[in-house]
Coordinates of all heavy atoms in Angstrom, one line a residue:
Y23 N -38.1 16.1 36.8 CA -37.2 15.9 37.9 C -35.8 16.5 37.6 O -35.2 17.2 38.3 CB -37.1 14.6 38.5 CG -38.3 14.1 39.2 CD1 -38.8 12.9 39.2 CD2 -39.0 15.0 40.1 CE1 -40.0 12.4 39.9 CE2 -40.2 14.6 40.9 CZ -40.6 13.4 40.7 OH -41.8 13.0 41.6
V24 N -35.3 16.1 36.5 CA -33.9 16.5 36.1 C -33.8 18.0 35.9 O -32.9 18.7 36.2 CB -33.3 15.7 34.9 CG1 -34.1 16.0 33.6 CG2 -31.9 15.9 34.8
E25 N -35.0 18.6 35.3 CA -35.0 20.1 35.1 C -35.1 20.8 36.6 O -34.4 21.7 36.8 CB -36.2 20.5 34.4 CG -36.4 22.0 34.1 CD -37.6 22.3 33.4 OE1 -38.3 21.4 32.9 OE2 -38.0 23.6 33.3
S26 N -35.8 20.2 37.5 CA -36.0 20.6 38.8 C -34.6 20.6 39.6 O -34.2 21.5 40.4 CB -37.1 19.9 39.6 OG -38.2 19.9 39.0
L27 N -33.9 19.4 39.4 CA -32.7 19.3 40.0 C -31.7 20.3 39.7 O -31.0 21.0 40.4 CB -32.0 18.0 39.7 CG -30.7 17.6 40.4 CD1 -30.9 17.6 42.0 CD2 -30.1 16.3 39.8
L28 N -31.6 20.7 38.4 CA -30.7 21.8 38.0 C -31.1 23.2 38.6 O -30.3 23.8 39.0 CB -30.9 21.9 36.3 CG -30.2 23.1 35.8 CD1 -28.7 23.2 36.0 CD2 -30.4 23.2 34.2
L29 N -32.5 23.4 38.6 CA -33.0 24.5 39.3 C -32.5 24.6 40.8 O -32.1 25.7 41.2 CB -34.5 24.8 39.1 CG -35.0 25.0 37.7 CD1 -36.4 24.9 37.7 CD2 -34.6 26.4 37.3
Y30 N -32.6 23.5 41.3 CA -32.4 23.6 42.8 C -31.0 23.5 43.2 O -30.6 24.2 44.1 CB -33.1 22.2 43.3 CG -33.5 22.5 44.8 CD1 -34.4 23.4 45.2 CD2 -33.0 21.6 45.7 CE1 -34.8 23.6 46.5 CE2 -33.4 21.7 47.1 CZ -34.2 22.8 47.4 OH -34.7 22.9 48.8
L31 N -30.2 22.9 42.4 CA -28.7 22.9 42.6 C -28.2 24.4 42.5 O -27.3 24.7 43.2 CB -28.0 22.0 41.8 CG -28.1 20.5 42.0 CD1 -27.3 19.7 41.0 CD2 -27.9 20.0 43.4
E32 N -28.7 25.0 41.6 CA -28.3 26.5 41.3 C -28.5 27.3 42.5 O -27.8 28.3 42.8 CB -29.1 27.1 40.1 CG -28.4 26.5 38.8 CD -29.3 26.9 37.5 OE1 -30.4 27.4 37.8 OE2 -28.7 26.9 36.4
A33 N -29.6 26.9 43.2 CA -29.9 27.7 44.5 C -29.1 27.1 45.8 O -29.1 27.8 46.9 CB -31.4 27.5 44.9
G34 N -28.3 26.2 45.5 CA -27.6 25.7 46.7 C -26.4 26.2 46.9 O -25.9 27.3 46.4
S35 N -25.5 25.7 47.9 CA -24.2 26.2 48.3 C -23.2 25.2 48.4 O -23.4 24.1 48.0 CB -24.4 27.1 49.6 OG -24.9 26.3 50.6
V36 N -22.1 25.5 49.1 CA -21.1 24.5 49.3 C -21.6 23.4 50.1 O -21.0 22.3 50.1 CB -19.8 25.2 50.0 CG1 -20.2 25.5 51.4 CG2 -18.6 24.3 49.9
S37 N -22.7 23.5 50.8 CA -23.2 22.5 51.6 C -23.7 21.2 50.9 O -24.0 20.1 51.4 CB -24.4 22.9 52.5 OG -25.6 23.4 51.7
L38 N -23.8 21.4 49.5 CA -24.1 20.3 48.6 C -23.0 19.1 48.8 O -23.4 18.1 48.4 CB -24.3 20.8 47.2 CG -25.4 21.6 46.9 CD1 -25.2 22.2 45.4 CD2 -26.8 20.8 47.0
I39 N -21.9 19.5 49.3 CA -20.9 18.4 49.6 C -21.4 17.3 50.3 O -21.1 16.2 50.3 CB -19.8 19.2 50.4 CG1 -18.8 19.9 49.4 CG2 -18.8 18.0 51.0 CD1 -17.7 20.7 50.0
L40 N -22.3 17.6 51.3 CA -23.0 16.7 52.2 C -23.8 15.5 51.4 O -24.0 14.5 51.9 CB -23.9 17.4 53.3 CG -23.2 18.4 54.2 CD1 -24.4 19.0 55.0 CD2 -22.3 17.6 55.2
W41 N -24.2 15.9 50.3 CA -25.0 15.2 49.4 C -24.2 14.5 48.1 O -24.9 14.0 47.2 CB -26.3 15.9 48.9 CG -27.2 16.4 50.1 CD1 -27.0 17.5 50.8 CD2 -28.3 15.6 50.6 NE1 -28.0 17.6 51.7 CE2 -28.8 16.5 51.7 CE3 -28.7 14.4 50.4 CZ2 -29.8 16.0 52.4 CZ3 -29.8 14.0 51.2 CH2 -30.3 14.7 52.1
S42 N -23.0 14.6 48.3 CA -22.2 14.4 47.0 C -22.5 13.0 46.4 O -22.7 12.9 45.1 CB -20.6 14.4 47.3 OG -20.2 15.9 47.7
Q43 N -22.3 12.0 47.2 CA -22.5 10.6 46.6 C -23.9 10.4 46.0 O -24.1 9.8 45.0 CB -22.2 9.6 47.6 CG -20.7 9.6 48.2 CD -19.8 9.5 46.9 OE1 -19.9 8.6 46.1 NE2 -18.8 10.5 46.8
R44 N -24.8 10.8 46.7 CA -26.4 10.6 46.2 C -26.6 11.5 44.9 O -27.2 11.1 44.0 CB -27.3 11.0 47.4 CG -28.7 10.4 47.1 CD -29.5 10.4 48.3 NE -30.8 9.9 47.9 CZ -31.8 9.8 49.0 NH1 -31.5 10.4 50.1 NH2 -32.9 9.3 48.6
I45 N -26.1 12.6 44.9 CA -26.3 13.6 43.8 C -25.6 13.0 42.5 O -26.2 12.9 41.5 CB -25.9 15.1 44.0 CG1 -26.8 15.7 45.0 CG2 -25.8 15.7 42.7 CD1 -26.3 17.1 45.5
L46 N -24.4 12.5 42.7 CA -23.6 12.0 41.6 C -24.2 10.6 41.1 O -24.3 10.4 39.9 CB -22.2 11.7 42.0 CG -21.4 13.0 42.2 CD1 -20.0 12.7 42.8 CD2 -21.1 13.8 40.8
R47 N -24.8 9.9 41.9 CA -25.5 8.6 41.5 C -26.7 8.9 40.8 O -26.9 8.3 39.8 CB -25.8 7.8 42.8 CG -26.4 6.4 42.5 CD -26.6 5.6 43.8 NE -27.6 6.1 44.7 CZ -27.4 6.5 46.0 NH1 -26.1 6.5 46.3 NH2 -28.5 6.8 46.7
V48 N -27.5 9.9 41.2 CA -28.8 10.1 40.6 C -28.4 10.8 39.1 O -28.9 10.4 38.1 CB -29.5 11.2 41.3 CG1 -30.8 11.8 40.5 CG2 -30.2 10.4 42.6
I49 N -27.4 11.8 39.1 CA -27.0 12.3 37.7 C -26.6 11.3 36.8 O -26.9 11.4 35.6 CB -26.0 13.5 38.1 CG1 -26.6 14.7 38.7 CG2 -25.3 13.9 36.7 CD1 -25.7 15.8 39.1
S50 N -25.8 10.4 37.2 CA -25.2 9.4 36.6 C -26.2 8.5 35.8 O -26.3 8.2 34.6 CB -24.2 8.4 37.2 OG -23.8 7.3 36.4
E51 N -27.3 8.2 36.6 CA -28.5 7.4 36.0 C -29.3 8.2 35.0 O -29.6 7.6 34.0 CB -29.3 7.0 37.2 CG -30.5 6.1 36.7 CD -31.6 6.0 37.8 OE1 -31.4 6.3 39.0 OE2 -32.7 5.5 37.5
Y52 N -29.5 9.5 35.2 CA -30.3 10.3 34.4 C -29.5 10.5 33.0 O -30.0 10.9 32.0 CB -30.8 11.5 35.0 CG -32.0 11.3 35.8 CD1 -32.0 10.6 37.0 CD2 -33.2 11.9 35.4 CE1 -33.1 10.4 37.6 CE2 -34.5 11.5 36.0 CZ -34.4 10.8 37.2 OH -35.6 10.6 37.8
L53 N -28.1 10.6 33.1 CA -27.3 10.8 32.0 C -27.3 9.6 31.1 O -27.2 9.7 29.8 CB -25.9 11.1 32.4 CG -25.6 12.6 32.8 CD1 -24.1 12.7 33.4 CD2 -25.7 13.5 31.7
M54 N -27.4 8.4 31.5 CA -27.0 7.1 30.7 C -28.3 6.4 30.3 O -28.2 5.4 29.7 CB -26.1 6.2 31.6 CG -24.7 6.9 32.0 SD -24.0 7.7 30.7 CE -23.8 6.3 29.4
I55 N -29.5 6.9 30.8 CA -30.8 6.1 30.4 C -31.5 7.0 29.2 O -31.8 8.2 29.5 CB -31.7 5.9 31.6 CG1 -31.0 4.9 32.6 CG2 -32.9 5.3 31.1 CD1 -31.8 4.7 33.8
E56 N -31.8 6.2 28.3 CA -32.5 6.7 27.1 C -34.0 7.1 27.6 O -34.6 6.3 28.1 CB -32.6 5.8 25.9 CG -33.5 6.2 24.8 CD -33.0 7.4 24.1 OE1 -32.0 7.5 23.5 OE2 -34.0 8.4 24.2
D57 N -34.5 8.3 27.2 CA -35.9 8.6 27.7 C -36.7 9.3 26.5 O -37.6 9.9 26.7 CB -35.8 9.6 28.9 CG -35.2 10.8 28.7 OD1 -34.6 11.2 27.5 OD2 -35.1 11.7 29.5
A58 N -36.2 9.2 25.3 CA -36.8 9.6 24.1 C -37.0 11.1 24.1 O -37.8 11.7 23.5 CB -38.3 9.1 23.9
S59 N -36.1 11.9 24.7 CA -36.1 13.3 24.8 C -35.2 14.0 23.8 O -35.1 15.2 23.7 CB -35.7 13.9 26.1 OG -34.3 13.6 26.6
G60 N -34.4 13.0 22.9 CA -33.6 13.6 21.9 C -32.3 14.2 22.6 O -31.6 15.0 21.9
G61 N -32.0 13.8 23.9 CA -30.8 14.2 24.6 C -31.1 15.4 25.4 O -30.1 15.9 26.1
A62 N -32.3 15.9 25.3 CA -32.7 17.2 26.3 C -32.5 16.9 27.8 O -31.9 17.7 28.5 CB -34.2 17.7 26.0

């Protein structure tokens, strides 16, 4: 999902502003939770 989010945001535009709070909330969770990926 986090790999997909990166791919999908790259295809987005300034309209991502409409999703600001939700995107930031999801990114924050995925940044701070250990998932045994070695930081990947």
Side-chain angles (χ1 to χ4, degrees):
Y23 283 144
V24 73
E25 180 182 351
S26 299
L27 182 65
L28 172 58
L29 291 169
Y30 207 57
L31 293 183
E32 287 174 340
S35 65
V36 70
S37 66
L38 288 171
I39 285 174
L40 300 172
W41 299 90
S42 291
Q43 294 306 306
R44 197 165 180 186
I45 290 173
L46 288 172
R47 184 170 72 242
V48 168
I49 289 177
S50 175
E51 181 190 349
Y52 275 69
L53 278 172
M54 301 312 300
I55 292 180
E56 170 64 61
D57 63 356
S59 67

